[in-house]
Amino acid sequence: MGAVATFNAFRHRADTAERPRGGRWDTFFMLALDLQVLFGVLLYFGLSPLTREAMNNVGMALRDPGLRFWAITHVAMMCVALVAVRAGRVFAIGERTSGARRNGRYICFGIAMLAMLAGVPWPGLGNGRPLFRF
């Protein structure tokens, strides 16, 4: 949804007075990210043994790259993505004739996509997880 919303925001850069088509993708992207953050917060503060271990000994978690990724890096990247998508939605519902607001929408969505891609534990990295588990 993020890629489609970013592409849609980039595609509708013409300076017109009417609202651009496909604005629902922005809303779906924001709602999907909100739901993912809700589940992430539940995991982070209650269900994950990794973050429980990191919270018990923060000094050790900062020295261990695996714990540091889950306790700080992953959370920080996803918070950046959440804030960027919210800022992009503010641009999306504002005045359509302003070039700064129009461009800000796809810039914010692009930043969110980059932050999410940077915060994912991709397979093959030191903290990687499999994409599919059976």
Side-chain angles (χ1 to χ4, degrees), residues 81-93 101 104-105 108-109:
L82 181 69
V83 169
V85 168
R86 290 293 180 162
R89 283 294 295 153
V90 168
F91 289 126
I93 62 175
R101 288 179 187 228
R105 184 170 154 233
C108 287
F109 290 169

Side-chain angles (χ1 to χ4, degrees), residues 37-48:
V37 167
L38 174 67
F39 289 134
V41 167
L42 289 173
L43 282 171
Y44 189 77
F45 287 112
L47 302 173
S48 174

Side-chain angles (χ1 to χ4, degrees), residues 52-86:
R52 224 177 295 139
E53 183 181 342
M55 296 290 182
N56 288 336
N57 192 350
V58 177
M60 182 206 47
L62 292 177
R63 287 188 297 274
D64 180 18
L67 284 177
R68 183 177 54 234
F69 176 81
W70 290 108
I72 297 171
T73 307
H74 179 72
V75 175
M77 289 292 109
M78 298 310 155
C79 286
V80 167
L82 181 69
V83 169
V85 168
R86 290 293 180 162

Side-chain angles (χ1 to χ4, degrees), residues 80-127:
V80 167
L82 181 69
V83 169
V85 168
R86 290 293 180 162
R89 283 294 295 153
V90 168
F91 289 126
I93 62 175
E95 178 68 34
R96 289 279 131 222
T97 58
S98 171
R101 288 179 187 228
R102 183 184 62 241
N103 293 338
R105 184 170 154 233
Y106 72 84
I107 289 171
C108 287
F109 290 169
I111 290 170
M113 288 299 298
L114 290 175
M116 285 189 287
L117 290 173
V120 170
W122 295 107
L125 297 178
N127 304 307

Side-chain angles (χ1 to χ4, degrees), residues 3-14 102-103 105-107 109:
V4 173
T6 304
F7 177 73
N8 187 47
F10 183 76
R11 189 177 60 154
H12 294 292
R13 292 188 304 158
R102 183 184 62 241
N103 293 338
R105 184 170 154 233
Y106 72 84
I107 289 171
F109 290 169

